Amino acid sequence: MTQRVHSIAVIGGDGIGPEVTAAALEVVRAAGVSVTTREFDLGAARYLRDGFVLDDATLEELRGFDAIMLGAIGPAIGDRRIPGGTLERGLLLAMRFGLDLYVNYRPFHGVEGSLAAGCDFAIVRENTEGPYAGEGGALRHGTPHEVATQGSVNTRFGVERCVRYAFERAARAAVPKVTLVHKTNVLTFAGDLWSRVVAEVGAEFPGVAVDYHHVDAACIYLVEDPQRYSVIVTDNLFGDILSDLAGAVTGGIGYAASANLNPTKTGASLFEPVHGAAHDIVGTNRANPLAAVSSAVLMLEHLGEEEAAARIARAVRDFEGDAAILGTSAVTAQLLERL
């Protein structure tokens, strides 16, 4: 049988993004997966060079790939030449909305020495609605009587497909449990919709336990009692905050991977490490590629390359040493040796 060749769009982006992305692709190929790649020059450096962020034609090109690997996006700390939100809304959110990447999936494994050592859980975040949908406006801007509103958009369709994905994940988890995290006592309209959808979809999965936590309580539990979680499902804003906290308590965002998924595959799903561009260590061989490699694992799972994904995941789990001290090439070499 002819081995399938997967087409991967690569957005190395800024700072250490190209370095960790190159390392991840090296590991993917060493695991025996055939890929073709095409580089896309997008991010802060491109914007500063010619003002380009993303256009419809480029978005359509990205749609045609099997997957997208993203390294990191953003200027160096203190560089204020790019107006706030330009890259976030013009590139990252534009890809999420345009490619219908409606699930942000982030698995976490507590590394030795972390607050959540030994814990395994995941956060399923609705990725295209909530406050990030852009509903809102301003009156009397710049005056002492200015009014700013920012709405949270929650549709039955959007909530249900996210919740259903969470239950499907939980049904295959070691601990089949879904915890809805929201603020239903205050955000009564959105909270009611989320609660009803979780109850209704949950009835279709009798083997999956269901729980609920207010988001402020969940922040405490992630620090003090993270083992109580298996799969958390939540909205866009809460998920953004909780997933960074989860990265911190499981060993740091240098280990945190993420998948922006279109499970129906009508658009290419996007895989990226959670960490930033870290311009201060570019070219020093100090970048930790483990989060990028773990993101590649999620990509391979999405592409149906489960055996290769499992082998790479084991290599990451068995990694020995301090990645920040060993550096990019030594970490990559150890992973290649374990494969």
Side-chain angles (χ1 to χ4, degrees), residues 149-312:
T149 63
Q150 194 78 55
S152 179
V153 176
N154 299 265
T155 68
R156 169 73 193 219
F157 172 75
V159 172
E160 182 173 345
R161 63 183 184 172
C162 174
V163 168
R164 188 169 298 280
Y165 182 86
F167 273 94
E168 290 169 352
R169 276 283 181 178
R172 303 192 301 270
V175 179
K177 178 182 177 182
V178 168
T179 302
L180 169 62
V181 173
H182 210 278
K183 193 68 174 174
T184 57
N185 58 337
V186 176
L187 304 176
T188 53
F189 299 112
D192 176 63
L193 174 58
W194 276 87
S195 295
R196 284 187 288 110
V197 170
V198 166
E200 293 167 18
V201 174
E204 302 175 26
F205 294 83
V208 177
V210 180
D211 200 1
Y212 170 79
H213 291 155
H214 289 324
V215 65
D216 43 350
C219 290
I220 297 172
Y221 295 145
L222 276 173
V223 174
E224 296 184 347
D225 191 23
Q227 64 267 19
R228 69 171 58 206
Y229 292 117
S230 177
V231 175
I232 293 172
V233 65
T234 189
D235 82 346
N236 208 337
L237 176 59
F238 294 148
D240 192 0
I241 297 167
L242 287 174
S243 55
D244 281 356
L245 174 59
V249 302
T250 53
I253 59 174
Y255 294 92
S258 76
N260 296 276
L261 297 172
N262 179 329
T264 62
K265 298 187 178 181
T266 58
S269 294
L270 184 150
F271 303 85
E272 61 176 321
V274 178
H275 60 67
H279 288 264
D280 57 321
I281 60 170
V282 172
T284 65
N285 194 37
R286 289 167 54 199
N288 176 2
L290 290 177
V293 173
S294 294
S295 298
V297 168
L298 299 180
M299 179 183 73
L300 294 180
E301 291 175 350
H302 180 72
L303 295 174
E305 299 284 356
E306 289 87 359
E307 189 272 337
R311 288 170 55 215
I312 297 173

